[in-house]
Amino acid sequence: MIDLHMHSTFSDGTLTPTQLIERAKQNNIEVMAITDHDNVDGLKEGRIEAEKKGITFINGIEVSANFLNKDIHILGYFLNLEDEEFLEWLKNLQEKRQNRTLEILKKLADLGIDISLSEVEGEVLGNVIGRPHIAKIIIKKGFAVTMDQVFDRYLGDGKPAYVPKVGVDMVEVVKKLKANGAVVILAHPHLISHPDDTVINIIDNLIKNGLDGLELYYPNIALRKKNKLMKIAKKRDLILTGGSDFHGLHRAGIDIGLGNISTEVFQKMVEKKEKIDKNRKNI
Ligand code: AMP
Ligand code: ZN
Ligand code: FE
Ligand code: FE
């Protein structure tokens, strides 16, 4: 089994990298990637623990970008963690997140929900604050019962306390990941809340800047959407990937190993990475 998309406590997952690897082992995972939002801080621990358990570990990340006020997530695989320029750029993203958190808290206060930054920071182990952390406090304070309700009422795309991560342009994200030597994949394109033709334009625009593939193996993706995206990918010679997007055991029915991809599909990614490295050597 192969799972290339999951989150640890270094972003908004509830398991530490070590606990993720333990669970992956239980679920018979042979190849895995940790893809925390906007940071690579859990990868070292993940790799050490994965190697102990004989699991092949891929350095991953899921970078949040923005296009026309909606979130676009871009995955990078086989990251080079020695790339100082890339690490600096990530720091910059994390600062932008911090500012956004403050803006969200302001909007919530206007709606009568008072939450302080230190309350949010109490929910976070790493330095990447996400909406789920804020959502937990909203629930604790009794303004909603479920995560879905929080996103539906307050934090989801376009809702009253939604703040896009302004300034993180999707093309910039692809370029930075390419400069790092990563294989670059558009995460869960079926969840992008733009109309279909806009999504196709997004894909074509990103391809021009180096996008390598689409994430199409994903829990609960509707077959019709998958087939449609599959055609789009085939026409453009994009590779396909997949993963569970596991965030912890609180999401009913989502576990490590869902979104499993075959060894053949994974092999295409490996070949892509080899090609990228070869081309870079020739420059
Ligand atoms: P952020 O990175 O701060 O924009 O938060 C995005 C994260 O919020 C996603 O990766 C999900 O983990 C979570 N999320 C987004 N929409 C929902 C939803 N409707 N219900 C629960 N969690 C959500
Ligand atoms: Zn997340
Ligand atoms: Fe995502
Ligand atoms: Fe994710």
Side-chain angles (χ1 to χ4, degrees):
M1 295 261 277
I2 299 173
D3 190 337
L4 299 178
H5 190 155
M6 64 188 84
H7 298 270
S8 80
T9 43
F10 283 93
S11 62
D12 53 2
T14 60
L15 302 189
T16 65
T18 302
Q19 289 168 331
L20 279 181
I21 274 76
E22 277 165 11
R23 183 136 196 110
K25 188 69 190 173
Q26 279 169 13
N27 292 4
N28 297 315
I29 298 297
E30 293 137 324
V31 182
M32 67 183 281
I34 293 179
T35 51
D36 274 316
H37 298 290
D38 299 345
N39 84 89
V40 293
D41 301 338
L43 297 182
K44 208 170 151 198
E45 176 185 332
R47 175 170 298 280
I48 291 170
E49 294 305 313
E51 275 170 10
K52 280 188 202 160
K53 297 232 160 31
I55 296 174
T56 302
F57 187 84
I58 313 293
N59 289 335
I61 191 167
E62 182 176 25
V63 181
S64 310
N66 184 268
F67 181 67
L68 298 178
N69 253 359
K70 302 238 163 98
D71 276 350
I72 310 278
H73 289 177
I74 297 172
L75 295 156
Y77 290 108
F78 306 100
L79 290 172
N80 169 14
L81 301 182
E82 315 276 286
D83 177 352
E84 293 295 334
E85 223 179 293
F86 180 71
L87 299 177
E88 273 304 311
W89 178 71
L90 287 184
K91 264 196 213 154
N92 180 326
L93 290 188
Q94 288 157 21
E95 270 165 32
K96 279 187 174 145
R97 247 183 200 276
Q98 189 86 5
N99 295 337
R100 167 183 177 249
T101 301
L102 291 172
E103 277 185 59
I104 292 177
L105 295 183
K106 216 153 81 198
K107 285 198 169 185
L108 285 171
D110 290 342
L111 295 167
I113 303 175
D114 284 306
I115 297 173
S116 68
L117 183 62
S118 59
E119 275 179 285
V120 185
E121 282 170 344
E123 293 289 331
V124 188
L125 277 178
N127 53 0
V128 167
I129 294 174
R131 281 178 284 169
H133 303 117
I134 303 173
K136 266 194 206 158
I137 302 173
I138 294 177
I139 292 172
K140 267 190 202 162
K141 297 202 167 184
F143 291 97
V145 178
T146 63
M147 283 289 228
D148 272 349
Q149 268 178 7
V150 179
F151 277 85
D152 208 44
R153 288 181 192 164
Y154 307 109
L155 299 181
D157 281 20
K159 302 293 170 172
Y162 173 70
V163 179
K165 293 184 203 85
V166 184
V168 190
D169 173 68
M170 61 176 185
V171 170
E172 177 187 334
V173 173
V174 171
K175 282 184 177 163
K176 294 287 177 184
L177 288 168
K178 287 314 284 191
N180 178 276
V183 171
V184 180
I185 305 291
L186 181 61
H188 42 64
H190 66 294
L191 295 180
I192 297 175
S193 49
H194 279 298
D196 283 2
D197 52 343
T198 310
V199 173
I200 293 177
N201 287 339
I202 289 171
I203 292 171
D204 284 333
N205 186 2
L206 295 183
I207 289 173
K208 273 189 235 147
N209 292 285
L211 184 77
D212 297 303
L214 303 181
E215 183 185 50
L216 289 197
Y217 300 92
Y218 195 88
N220 306 325
I221 178 170
L223 197 61
R224 261 194 56 215
K225 279 214 162 176
K226 189 171 169 179
N227 288 338
K228 224 171 171 178
L229 286 160
M230 201 77 96
K231 262 195 206 150
I232 291 169
K234 213 169 173 186
K235 225 169 142 182
R236 292 158 177 80
D237 202 22
L238 291 168
I239 59 171
L240 307 176
T241 72
S244 61
D245 208 356
F246 181 74
H247 279 73
L249 294 165
H250 56 287
R251 287 193 187 171
I254 307 294
D255 202 347
I256 298 176
L258 283 169
N260 176 40
I261 56 171
S262 65
T263 350
E264 289 75 28
V265 171
F266 178 64
Q267 194 49 37
K268 291 250 165 63
M269 278 183 87
V270 174
E271 283 163 17
K272 195 85 201 185
K273 173 61 179 163
E274 285 167 359
K275 218 163 144 187
I276 290 169
D277 287 347
K278 216 168 120 194
N279 286 343
R280 283 158 77 90
K281 261 194 207 136
N282 291 340
I283 293 170

